[in-house]
Structure formats: structure tokens, C-alpha cells
Amino acid sequence: MAMSSLVQCHVGWCCLTLQRWQMNCQNRTLAAWTSATAQRTHKQKRLAEQLRMAKVRPSILWRAGPLGRRALHTSFTSSQEVMLTSERYGVQRLPFSHVSDSDLAFFEHMIPGGVITDPEELKPFNVDWLQSVRGSSKLLLRPRTTAQVSEILRYCNERNLAVNPQGGNTGLVGGSVPVFDEIILSTALMNQVISFDSVSGVLVCQAGCILENLNQYLEELDFIMPLDLGAKGSCHIGGNVATNAGGLRLLRYGSLRGTVLGLEVVLANGSVLNCLTSLRKDNTGYDLKQLFIGSEGTLGVITAVSILCPRKPMAVNLAFLGCQSFSQILETFTTCKGMLGEILSAYEFMDDRCMKLVVSHLKLSNPVTESPFFILIETSGSNTTHDQEKLNNFLECVMASGLVTDGTVATDDKKIKTLWALRERITEALTYDGYVFKYDISLPVEKLYDLVIDTRVRLGRSAKNVVGYGHLGDGNLHLNITAESYSHTLLDAIEPFVYEWTAKYRGSISAEHGLGFKKKHYIQYSKPWETVLLMQQFKAMLDPKGILNPYKTLPSSS
Amino acid sequence: MAMSSLVQCHVGWCCLTLQRWQMNCQNRTLAAWTSATAQRTHKQKRLAEQLRMAKVRPSILWRAGPLGRRALHTSFTSSQEVMLTSERYGVQRLPFSHVSDSDLAFFEHMIPGGVITDPEELKPFNVDWLQSVRGSSKLLLRPRTTAQVSEILRYCNERNLAVNPQGGNTGLVGGSVPVFDEIILSTALMNQVISFDSVSGVLVCQAGCILENLNQYLEELDFIMPLDLGAKGSCHIGGNVATNAGGLRLLRYGSLRGTVLGLEVVLANGSVLNCLTSLRKDNTGYDLKQLFIGSEGTLGVITAVSILCPRKPMAVNLAFLGCQSFSQILETFTTCKGMLGEILSAYEFMDDRCMKLVVSHLKLSNPVTESPFFILIETSGSNTTHDQEKLNNFLECVMASGLVTDGTVATDDKKIKTLWALRERITEALTYDGYVFKYDISLPVEKLYDLVIDTRVRLGRSAKNVVGYGHLGDGNLHLNITAESYSHTLLDAIEPFVYEWTAKYRGSISAEHGLGFKKKHYIQYSKPWETVLLMQQFKAMLDPKGILNPYKTLPSSS
Ligand SMILES: Cc1cc2nc3c(=O)[nH]c(=O)nc-3n(C[C@H](O)[C@H](O)[C@H](O)COP(=O)(O)OP(=O)(O)OC[C@H]3O[C@@H](n4cnc5c(N)ncnc54)[C@H](O)[C@@H]3O)c2cc1C
Ligand SMILES: Cc1cc2nc3c(=O)[nH]c(=O)nc-3n(C[C@H](O)[C@H](O)[C@H](O)COP(=O)(O)OP(=O)(O)OC[C@H]3O[C@@H](n4cnc5c(N)ncnc54)[C@H](O)[C@@H]3O)c2cc1C
């Protein structure tokens, strides 16, 4: 309720039709923005996300407890219980050892207080955020130091015990929870900032720092994290790096492959690989850290991250626009890149079905007139007046040419958040709609929406909703299909259709979410077999016993 | 002479003292800039570089010949001949096969016209740009296609013939030329653009395309390459990727690790690894291409590159400033990042000794008053008026606060080039000064210049000049020491001193040039031995016989 009343309060927005917009552009610049108003207060955001999370997963509550205040606690009843992954997908357990009493004794001696075996406490760590896969781990370890992670892995490797590294457990491809009884190795207590250098903007921190906490920490020092995503209140920086997360700022600050300067990683045998440099440039030998970025916990456990952080922009502006066709979205994008240039920081789109879902399930309000498509454009820059002038000129141009038919511009932090919520909370709204089949596709932008249309036609009434949204600026579509419940028949109608369609246009079947458990068998739609073979060789070299996150990312080499 | 008269013509610059600058800022914006004037004409640049090259290496002439117009031809007399690397450094040849007549016959049959054995023609391909190392290869191969590269490598691998991949041969660490009789595999004829997509800005091309040609090609389509360096007229994009080149635009567009989207690579055994995607995001498995970026020809031959190119900026401005101390340079940098923000595209520095060298050896003119340090600041943006206003405000601020004592701003393309030349041509001026010991160091910016001072003190009169310049915005110092001729004693005074100094402050002993032949034994100053061990394992896995660029990058594993 708190969220919806926040959304319905429109006072102070500038909601403009073409005529009013033109007037606006001629007579005044956008209402003044200050860096102060651009700061979102941390507490508000935390609360909002906690509410959000509680809503998404009605059976799951946030509470402070022995696992720390951000831990998830469940009150599952058996009827709500997610089917075991091994049963739903018919997976065979690999011949790893089982955790014995003497193993437990060893761990308890090593990290007193960091060993969880209580089945109730373990539940949320066995189920993914989407509640779509479930493992049956009997042991959660929460080390605080790299040395402890090293000792744990050395021991597990010797004992042939499988390990599932886990960060905030917000991954969307079933990579973050065990398939069977793998030991869950959580970074939740590895949450210390190691250093920040305000001249270079380089932050060094442990892998378990929550993304939003880091951003908050930096904002106070006039910097921001170079990435941002809807799960920021829960996901860990280590998890972000392990999944090579993209998110909402990639368009502006580039991928983690450029911004992550260093990593500390513990390999399967417990040896610590120290690539934790803070240098912007370092061409001494091969860049090993790159192999761990996006390796989804299968090659090593990331224990610390060094990352280049941009200055906090002085001015942030947001425009939310209505558009009549997808081709107009593309043309608007081209115009936007030209006219907003270096200040463009996000170009997101969503279709009308997404809007219907956030309106009906989350009680958010559509701030513009009904349209087949919506665009969210964010600018971040160093000069308020210049940025507003650029945005005004751009809006005037796209309205005059008819590319955009309606729009609204937010002029303070609260409204910016409200507009962002329409886009950021689609993932959540979908979970209310039923079981969600999620696809995270890269395609040439011209082709992006055709996949949604073709899937809709193909599935007809067997799907409840087929929606498209995503990071258009990066050529990244989130195609989501909802149904009353999970169904093998529906899955068969979707896959491999969606993958084949994507492969036909040389797209990627996972743009930013990774392959995890759910997509590992489809890698060949985006990668030639020689490259998969080479990946398997790397895996075999770094983790010969295969103890790290088994059943994930790569098809088995046999 | 052509160059120096160009430089001496000052008319039209705004060369300002504090007073005049303040007036300027109050009364007018910088002289108008158009995107048209910002375009450098290609021919002029080519000519200038050819002159430059001819000057640097008086014994080397550019001429059109059977090897194409960009090939280097020498008229070495034996007295000028560079000492053989194997002799100067006392290297032992590894037990590779020697090229036989039947090998030659095989190659000639496979790539008719692409086989060079004439000793005179081979000479420039055996000597590096600095004329500091020399090999004795008897065979140069110039394939045109990936299939040919694949066939060559498969054959060489079977025959145990060592291969030295070569691009434009502008590398500065002795990696691009053979140490003994390795076959030189040149990408010079692999110079075709494969595709360019003006919506996404993604360019796909063969590895042998010359950087400047690509930039020229893109400029006509309103885009630019995301990297730029002094060697642009000769270096190949494949060589840039193989060295993970940094250069002058890294500050703005980030490193190649973020902008290179895909690679096609031929492995030592001839198999073709196709990672040539054009997608901005692709998280399907490990990012194998990253391993080849910066691997200096030791893991595979890069045959094609897919790279994300930014829009051509509408406005480019350049300021050349004088500064009284290094700490003021740092403070100016912090101010600059804040006030120029997203439009800052280069922040370079040079000391007064560099200025003396370009003035005395190249007859360039110092456009500002004598100062201990000079800064070159470039802005690139989408709005001329906004950019000039930002630059004006910034200049006003740093002049008023005394951070900067004199400065000049260039307002058209010709003058921009002239000012850039002062910085870009230092490398060249140094070669006139004698034998050059080159160090390319990353350090925390606060420490950057201390290394120059300490080295100067240490070497005293045994060095001719000890100078410092570089990409300050990236924490990258080029420390250069000149002497009348190469001397073991001087080298021993410099190394490992410079490396130990760098290691003490956790810097990198190679920021952007790579390790090549000259620095491979010093890797441990920047990388812990476990990581070097892992690199060696990767090398052994991908190139078990070690035929690719032997004697380079990594110390031998035995
Ligand atoms: C609401 C919502 C919005 C999202 N939006 C985006 C988005 O915009 N862009 C995007 O890219 N993703 C998005 N995601 C998915 C994204 O992958 C994750 O949110 C995030 O990057 C994962 O971080 P985590 O700490 O939760 O990792 P987890 O979910 O715990 O783990 C993810 C994977 O990484 C591995 N892993 C975790 N930590 C480590 C470690 N320290 N060392 C080695 N391996 C480790 C795990 O084994 C697993 O394979 C979103 C998710 C949600 C729920
Ligand atoms: C005047 C001047 C200015 C410079 N400025 C900069 C600068 O600002 N920033 C910077 O980073 N560097 C700079 N450099 C050095 C830089 O490394 C090179 O100029 C460039 O990146 C090398 O490209 P190339 O084609 O000449 O490669 P080469 O010199 O031919 O080769 C360099 C290395 O790459 C390997 N290689 C080349 N092509 C391939 C391929 N296709 N596949 C596999 N391996 C290959 C070679 O084996 C060798 O080890 C400068 C050099 C000069 C002469």
C-alpha cells in the first residue's frame, strides 16, 4: 500500500502532451535539479525493497535473525513448496561424498557460528528467488575471511564434497542454489569495504558486500557504483561479478569486464589467486581475472573485488515516453544517441502488457496515455542546465516529428524513483501473474521485438501473458511468458523455439543472466562446439574434481 | 621541415595569460568549433606520419613495393645494423625445426605471392620500431584469409616450426619480431572491413586493418574507433588487441576489454576459435576472447575483430597548459574530472625535459611559457556551446586558483593537431636523443612522478636524459631514459631498480605495452607466482609445443 500511494501521487511532475511540451521547451528549461534531490535516501529504498520482496514472495519474510537482518526466512507450507530440481528435471546426482559428522565437526571448529544445519533456516538458501528450483543442501557455511574460504575449499576438494557458492541468491537461472545436497558457501558475512581511493575512484571490497550498500557508501563520497540493477538491495558484488551482471547503467559505464580492475579468487583446491590490483592499466601477462567474471561459481569463489567507480553525476533527469510502434522506439533511440550523446545513461523499453501487469498487480499508475510501447530515458551529467537543455531539445524534436506521442519528465528524486519503479518492478509483477518462463536474449535491435510477436503467435492461448521489455540500448530483450503453473508441454512449445529463433539472428540466449542450471544445455545455440569444448578444458584444469557448482553453466563433458 | 613550419605558424590560436583568459571567459565563448573542422584530413596525416617515420629512423624509407605501400624498407649499412637479440641478451634457441625447402614449397603452393624470402625485403620485419632488437627470420608469410592462417599453423605445429605473429610492428617491448629464425606471420594483407552496423556502432574487420584506416572509414559514417595512439598510421587492429593497447582515448571510452565484443582466433594447432559475436552482451559460458586480448601472440593468432565504436563527437576542444608542480597537475585533474565530467576525453602530461626534446629534435614550438610541467586536456562532446562553456568555466577556475599558470586553447583542426603533436611525438623525439630505455608504468597517481625524480637522482650523469610523460588520467607513466648508446652497465643501474620501486607501490611494470621479449623476466614484480604458474598452464594447454611467439611474455616454465 505504501508503494502504491507513493505512485499515485502525481503532484509536481510535468506530464506533457506535444503542445505543452513544445511550450515548455520554448519558455523554460526543466524544473531545476540539484544533486541533493537526486540522492535517494537509503532507508526509504531499503524499506521499499523489503516490502517489494515480501510482496513478491508472500510466504517469505524479511526479518532480523541469527543469519543477519537481510536473510530470508520462510514460512512455507508443504503445499507451497517448490518441486525439487532433481525431480522436475530428472537429474542424476554425481558421485560426490556426503557430508559426515566429522565434516561438520571440522567446519564448526574452523568457523564457529558460521555453520548452519537447521532445516528451517536452510530452506530459503535452497530455493531461488523465482521459486522455480529447489535443492536439498543440509549445510550452509558462512565464512568471514578469504583464508576461511580457502580452508573450506581445500577440505572439500580433498573430501570430494560439492560446493555451491552463493551471494544474494537473486540469480534468475537457477545457478545460485544446489541441485542436490551441495554445501552452500555463502559470502553474506564477507561484507567489508577494504579501501576506497577518492582520487582514482577505485573501491576494493569483500565479495559479500550488498550492491546497494556499496552505492550508498560511495554516494556519501560523491561517487557511485558503475552498475545498478533491480536486485541491488540483496545481490552481492561477488554475485554480480560471478554472473557478469549488466543492468541499468551498462549503457553508460560499460560492462564489468572494463570496470572490474581486480579480483581475489579461491580455486577449487583452496589456493588463493591474487589478482586484486587497483590499477586502471596492467598488461603484465594474461588477464586471468576475466575468466572468473561470468563463470557463475564454477571456476572459483570470488572473495574480493576491485572496481572503478564513476563520480556521482551532478544532475539526473528522467523521461518516460509513450510510443506507437517498435520501429519508432528504434528511431527515437538513434535520435537520442545523437542529441543526448555523452549524458545518456539509460534507454529502457517495455510493452503495453508489461504496463498492464505493473498496474494490475502492483497498483502502480501509468503516468502517460495508453500506448503500445513505453520508453524510459535517463540522463546523468555534470551540468544541470546543459543537461536539461539537451533533454528539452531532444524531446521537442521527437515530439514534433511524431516519434513519441506522449511523455512525462520527473524533476525530483521521489518521482524519478516512481517512474523507475514502472520498469524495475516488472520482474516482480510477473511473479504475481503465475509461473514465469524467463528469457534474457541479445539480438540485433531491429529484430528485438519480433521475437515477442512470434512467440505470442506461436503460444496462442496456452500462455497467460507473453511480454517484452529490457535494456534496448544494449540490444537486450527480456522475454517473459507466464502461465497458471509450470507445465512441461508449455516449456516444450517455448524451447527450443526461442533459442532457435535467437540463433537464426545470431543473438545470445543469455545476454546478462548467465546459463546457471536452466540454460546450460542450450549453450550451443550461441556458441560453436569448439568453444564449449575449450571451456570444458578450462573447467577441468581449474577444478579437476568438478566440486564447484556442479550441474551448472556447461553441459557435462562426457 | 614541413612539420616544423606547420608548428611555428601560430596565427589563430588563443594563447592566454591569466588576465586574458579571464577576459575571454567573461566576454565570449571559445571560438566556434564545427564537426567539420574537427576532422583531420587523412592525406595530411598520412604524409606527416610518413615524414615522421622517415625522420625517426633515417635509414628506413617508406616506399610502395611488392609488399604494399606501407611496408618498411631499409637501407641499413652494416654499421647501423641492430645487434642480434640472441647475442645481446645471450638467448638459447629452442629445439624448433628449421624451415626446409619442402616447407617453402608447401607455403608457396598455399599462398602464391604471399611468401617472402628475400633477405633485403625481410630486414625491416626482423627489427622492431625502436631498432632495439633483431631476429633472423628467413621467411615471412602474408596470408589473406583465416583459412590460410589456419592451414599455416596446422602445418607449423605438425612440423614444430616456431611462428611470430606480426601486425604493424610498432610494439615497444620487442614482442613483434623474431628472436631467432621464427617464421613471421604478418596480417598485413588481412585488411578488409567485414561489416559495420550504424545502429549498434559495431565494426567487424580482419585483424590486419590499420587503425587509422579504420578510423577514417568510420569518420565518414559519423563514428570513430574507441582507441587512438601515436602509431595509428601503422599499427593493426589485431596488434592492438594482441597487446591490449591503451592509448589516448582510454580515459573516455574504456579499455579494449570492454569495447572488443568478439574475436576470431586461430590456435596453435590450426583450429579456428569463432568468438566473433557482435553483441554488446553475451553471458553464455566463459568469455574466452578475453584470454587472447593482451596475450601478445603467444596463445593464438587473432584473425578478425568485432569492436564497439562510439559516435564521432560533434565538438572537440584542446587546452595545453603550463603547471608549476606535479601536485598541481593532480589537483587540476581532480578539478577537471568534476567540471568537465562526461566530456573529458584526454588528460595527458609531460615534463619540461620532454618539451626540450620535441623542441630541439623536432623543431616544434612550445606554445606557452616555460614551465616544469605541461598538461594536455581534450574534450569531446555532442554540443559545441555546452562544451566550450564547461571548458571556459574550468579554465577560469584553475587559472584563478593558480593551479595553472599559462595555457593555450586550439580552435581548429590544424592547431589541435599541432598541440597534440607536442605530446604524441615525444616517443619519436626520444629516438633522436640516443638509445632509449623505455618503461611503461602504472602507479597510484600521487606517486607517478616520484619515480622519475628518484631515477634521475640514481642515474646522475650516466644517463643523457630521464623524462616522464604519459596518460595521467589512467595512472600511466612513460619513464624514458636516453643514453648515447646501449650499455649493459646503465641497464643494470636502471633494472631492477625501476621494477622494485614500482612493486613497492603496487604498480604495474607494464601498463599498456605488454611484456614481449624485454620484460618477460620481470613479470613477478607485478604478479604473484601462482598467477604466473596458471598463465603457464594456459599457455601449455593452448599451445603444447610452444610454437607461438616463443621467448616472449612469460618466463619459461622450466
Ligand atoms: C529483481 C531482479 C532484477 C534483476 N535485474 C538484473 C539486471 O538488470 N541485470 C542483470 O544482469 N541481472 C539482473 N538480475 C539477475 C542477476 O544475476 C543477479 O541479481 C545478480 O547479479 C546476482 O547476484 P547475487 O549475489 O544474488 O548472486 P547469486 O544469485 O547468489 O548467485 C548467482 C551465481 O553466481 C555465483 N556466485 C555468487 N557469488 C559468488 C562468488 N562470490 N564467487 C563465485 N560465484 C558466486 C552463484 O554460484 C551463482 O551461480 C536481477 C534479479 C532480480 C531478482
Ligand atoms: C609512436 C608509438 C606510439 C605508441 N603509443 C601507444 C599508446 O599510446 N598506447 C599503447 O598501448 N601502445 C602504444 N604503442 C605501442 C603499441 O603496443 C603498438 O603500437 C600497437 O598496439 C601494436 O600494434 P601492431 O599492429 O604494431 O603490433 P606488432 O607490433 O606487430 O605486435 C605487437 C605484439 O602483438 C602480437 N600480434 C600482432 N598482431 C597479432 C595478431 N593478429 N594475432 C596475435 N598476435 C599478434 C605480436 O606477436 C607482438 O607480440 C606505441 C607505439 C609507437 C611506435
Side-chain angles (χ1 to χ4, degrees), chain A residues 197-201 223 243-247 250-252 254-255 257-258 267 271-296 298-299 311 314 330 333-335 337-343 380-383 385-387 389-390 393 442-446 471 473-476 505-515 523 526-528 530-532 534-539 541-542 553-554, chain B residues 197-201 223 243-247 250-255 257-258 267 271-296 298-299 311 314 330 333-335 337-343 380-383 385-387 389-390 393 442-446 471 473-476 505-515 523 526-528 530-532 534-539 541-542 553-554:
Chain A
D197 179 335
S198 62
V199 177
S200 62
F223 283 79
T243 56
N244 187 28
L250 187 133
L251 182 65
R252 174 62 171 276
S255 86
R257 304 210 169 269
L267 302 182
S271 67
V272 181
L273 204 67
N274 181 354
C275 306
L276 200 58
T277 166
S278 293
L279 303 164
R280 179 122 190 211
K281 286 172 166 183
D282 177 21
N283 278 351
T284 52
Y286 313 147
D287 191 359
L288 297 179
K289 71 168 184 291
Q290 293 290 343
L291 209 58
F292 299 93
I293 301 179
S295 66
E296 302 183 76
T298 62
L299 294 181
R311 281 281 186 104
M314 306 278 262
L330 296 182
F333 182 48
T334 307
T335 311
K337 283 204 287 188
M339 297 184 74
L340 297 180
E342 61 280 0
I343 63 165
S380 310
S382 60
N383 184 307
T385 321
H386 291 171
D387 291 6
E389 203 178 305
K390 285 192 182 89
N393 290 343
S442 271
L443 278 170
V445 279
E446 316 82 68
H471 316 293
D474 315 319
N476 185 181
Y505 296 102
R506 309 194 64 201
S508 167
I509 65 136
S510 176
E512 56 174 18
H513 293 163
L515 296 170
I523 187 171
S526 293
K527 290 281 157 73
E530 314 86 46
T531 61
V532 179
L534 197 52
M535 291 178 201
Q536 285 168 337
Q537 282 179 269
F538 284 124
K539 168 74 179 174
M541 191 179 116
L542 289 169
T553 309
L554 296 182
Chain B
D197 179 337
S198 62
V199 177
S200 62
F223 283 80
T243 56
N244 188 29
L250 188 133
L251 182 67
R252 174 61 170 276
Y253 302 113
S255 85
R257 304 213 167 267
L267 302 182
S271 67
V272 180
L273 204 67
N274 181 355
C275 305
L276 201 58
T277 168
S278 292
L279 303 164
R280 180 122 189 210
K281 287 174 168 181
D282 177 22
N283 276 353
T284 52
Y286 314 147
D287 192 358
L288 297 179
K289 72 167 184 291
Q290 293 290 344
L291 210 56
F292 299 94
I293 301 179
S295 67
E296 303 184 76
T298 62
L299 295 180
R311 281 282 186 102
M314 307 278 260
L330 296 181
F333 182 48
T334 307
T335 312
K337 283 205 286 188
M339 295 185 75
L340 297 179
E342 61 280 0
I343 64 166
S380 309
S382 60
N383 185 308
T385 321
H386 291 171
D387 291 6
E389 204 178 305
K390 286 191 181 90
N393 290 342
S442 272
L443 278 170
V445 280
E446 315 83 66
H471 315 292
D474 315 319
N476 185 180
Y505 296 102
R506 310 195 64 202
S508 167
I509 64 134
S510 177
E512 56 174 18
H513 293 163
L515 296 170
I523 187 170
S526 294
K527 291 282 156 73
E530 314 86 48
T531 63
V532 179
L534 197 52
M535 291 179 202
Q536 286 168 336
Q537 282 180 271
F538 285 131
K539 168 75 179 174
M541 190 178 116
L542 289 168
T553 308
L554 297 183

Side-chain angles (χ1 to χ4, degrees), chain A residues 5 54 104 229 440:
Chain A
S5 67
L104 284 181
L229 35 111
D440 164 39

Side-chain angles (χ1 to χ4, degrees), chain B residues 21 319-323 332 368 373-375 377 394-395 404 406-408:
Chain B
W21 227 337
F320 194 91
L321 315 174
C323 213
T332 306
V368 298
F373 294 97
F374 303 91
I375 315 173
I377 293 173
F394 160 73
L395 293 175
V404 157
D406 191 16
T408 179

Side-chain angles (χ1 to χ4, degrees), chain A residues 15-55:
Chain A
C15 186
L16 312 164
T17 61
L18 172 56
Q19 225 181 355
R20 285 163 62 203
W21 229 338
Q22 286 176 336
M23 202 183 70
N24 174 65
C25 297
Q26 283 148 17
N27 301 342
R28 60 176 194 92
T29 59
L30 302 177
W33 268 81
T34 66
S35 64
T37 60
Q39 288 175 28
R40 312 176 186 189
T41 71
H42 189 52
K43 270 197 181 160
Q44 273 181 327
K45 285 180 79 188
R46 262 289 168 67
L47 190 70
E49 198 189 345
Q50 286 182 13
L51 281 167
R52 219 188 289 171
M53 288 289 192
K55 276 187 178 178

